[in-house]
Amino acid sequence: MEKTEIILQTDGSFVERLVSERTLNVGQGVLDTLTENVTRPIRNVFHIPDWGFVHANAGLNDTLWSVPIGRIPLHARFKLVNQVMVPMFASGTDIEIPLVWKVPTEVKVVFAVLTKQEDGIVSVEGNWLFACDVDKRGYRLPLPNLHDDCRICTGAFDGDQETAFECVKASLEQFGKSKWNADLMRTSEQSKQFFRFKPTKDSFETLPIQSDNWTMLCEKVGSALIERVIV
Amino acid sequence: MKTITVKYGVDEITKQVEADFTFGDLQGSDTFKAALGFGDNTKALVDGIEQNRDTVIPANATVRIETAANTKA
């Protein structure tokens, strides 16, 4: 379609403008480029037994899966200090116990799995562990085996699966059975204030974090990935 | 002087800085670190593109600071 516009300019002159319009046959490639950084959150995509619902943030090239978790398995060495069990990640002599830390209500902990799909195989690109406050600020927990951006040093496991469900399940299984050692450890004093247990007759009870403001024991984290996390 | 906006996670601050203020100056600035809570291991991005530390930040730019991934110690 073509149309002609006559424009009267402020200096009194007339200008003729010819406007030509046609519908472009936009290919998928153009659309993909325009939407490259667009992601879409989808809640409650599936449920992993013992862990809970999994939310997705789907991008063009990858999907970030968020699993809000209520516990962190801590297979590590512990020591009794003033009747309180505290982690001794760097120790080679203290007792090794698989304790489970129950996440207190004021902390939102999200286990995240990034997957990509290619040739019918869904691959785990990495696992992250984020702590979030009520305003969705992200924090790195005072744990070893966590990189600065909260990526978990998981150790090797089979991250190539047929479905995203299996990828998340395999990642959580690895997370659940991995031992926490001193790799990437920088915050041992904060760990002892954060992860505390009281021995009871039959087991160990998670004690409150020894701080009025738990975020003071963590490092604040900002990244494109954490912005895709669904708490 | 020029004005820049710096974002880190959900927090942001708009501040006046010297005309020759670089991305490296920003990443090392105790003022911005204290205000936004970022540490030493960061990268600076503008429109999603990582910036060189020596580059002068354009006036009125919005800079996103991100925690950089580290390598295993």
Side-chain angles (χ1 to χ4, degrees):
Chain A
M1 187 182 78
E2 251 188 27
K3 62 179 178 181
T4 304
E5 296 174 350
I6 305 296
I7 301 165
L8 170 59
Q9 296 193 308
T10 51
D11 62 1
S13 62
F14 285 87
V15 171
E16 181 185 74
R17 178 190 289 165
L18 296 173
V19 180
S20 174
E21 292 180 7
R22 65 187 170 93
T23 303
L24 292 173
N25 185 18
V26 178
Q28 188 63 38
V30 176
L31 288 176
D32 287 349
T33 302
L34 290 172
T35 58
E36 192 175 16
N37 297 317
V38 176
T39 61
R40 185 176 294 274
I42 311 160
R43 298 190 75 89
N44 303 328
V45 179
F46 51 76
H47 181 271
I48 301 277
D50 294 332
W51 290 101
F53 281 102
V54 182
H55 315 304
N57 184 288
L60 181 66
N61 301 311
D62 56 31
T63 302
L64 185 74
W65 302 91
S66 297
V67 194
I69 57 175
R71 68 183 193 277
I72 297 178
L74 288 176
H75 294 206
R77 291 186 184 276
F78 287 86
K79 184 177 186 176
L80 197 59
V81 178
N82 297 328
Q83 302 304 309
V84 174
M85 290 291 276
V86 293
M88 304 293 287
F89 297 112
S91 169
T93 54
D94 290 297
I95 187 168
E96 190 175 316
I97 324 174
L99 296 185
V100 176
W101 185 72
K102 289 181 183 166
V103 179
T105 52
E106 66 267 27
V107 189
K108 305 295 176 199
V109 175
V110 179
F111 181 84
V113 183
L114 186 70
T115 62
K116 283 189 178 177
Q117 184 164 355
E118 199 169 36
D119 300 329
I121 300 289
V122 187
S123 303
V124 175
E125 296 294 308
N127 295 159
W128 285 260
L129 188 67
F130 296 109
C132 299
D133 66 11
V134 289
D135 296 317
K136 215 196 154 194
R137 288 187 186 87
Y139 294 89
R140 178 184 181 275
L141 289 167
L143 282 170
N145 309 122
L146 286 184
H147 293 269
D148 286 351
D149 62 348
C150 295
R151 187 182 182 122
I152 306 172
C153 181
T154 59
F157 71 101
D158 188 4
D160 289 346
Q161 304 286 340
E162 288 185 3
T163 65
F165 173 85
E166 289 169 296
C167 284
V168 176
K169 190 164 171 281
S171 296
L172 282 166
E173 282 172 3
Q174 178 72 5
F175 176 64
K177 69 185 182 190
S178 293
K179 289 183 180 178
W180 298 83
N181 57 34
D183 285 356
L184 303 165
M185 187 75 215
R186 293 168 307 182
T187 50
S188 58
E189 286 310 309
Q190 289 92 326
S191 300
K192 290 172 194 168
Q193 291 176 262
F194 212 93
F195 303 101
R196 304 162 67 239
F197 301 87
K198 179 177 139 190
T200 62
K201 188 180 175 187
D202 302 320
S203 61
F204 292 88
E205 179 188 318
T206 300
L207 289 172
I209 297 166
Q210 201 175 25
S211 171
D212 293 336
N213 182 0
W214 64 267
T215 65
M216 300 300 287
L217 302 174
C218 303
E219 291 164 13
K220 196 177 167 193
V221 172
S223 69
L225 205 67
I226 197 170
E227 291 182 13
R228 296 175 62 187
V229 163
I230 301 171
V231 179
Chain B
M1 299 289 278
K2 64 188 174 190
T3 301
I4 60 170
T5 298
V6 184
K7 296 184 176 184
Y8 184 60
V10 297
D11 298 312
E12 70 174 67
I13 183 173
T14 298
K15 202 173 182 311
Q16 281 209 322
V17 292
E18 295 297 326
D20 59 353
F21 198 72
T22 66
F23 289 100
D25 292 336
L26 168 61
Q27 288 167 269
S29 163
D30 289 337
T31 305
F32 281 99
K33 281 182 179 177
L36 295 172
F38 60 83
D40 295 329
N41 188 21
T42 60
K43 54 185 179 179
L45 301 96
V46 175
D47 294 331
I49 299 166
E50 189 170 349
Q51 303 295 311
N52 191 305
R53 295 181 73 95
D54 297 330
T55 305
V56 173
I57 303 174
N60 303 312
T62 297
V63 184
R64 179 170 289 281
I65 298 291
E66 289 191 359
T67 310
N70 55 346
T71 52
K72 191 167 176 173

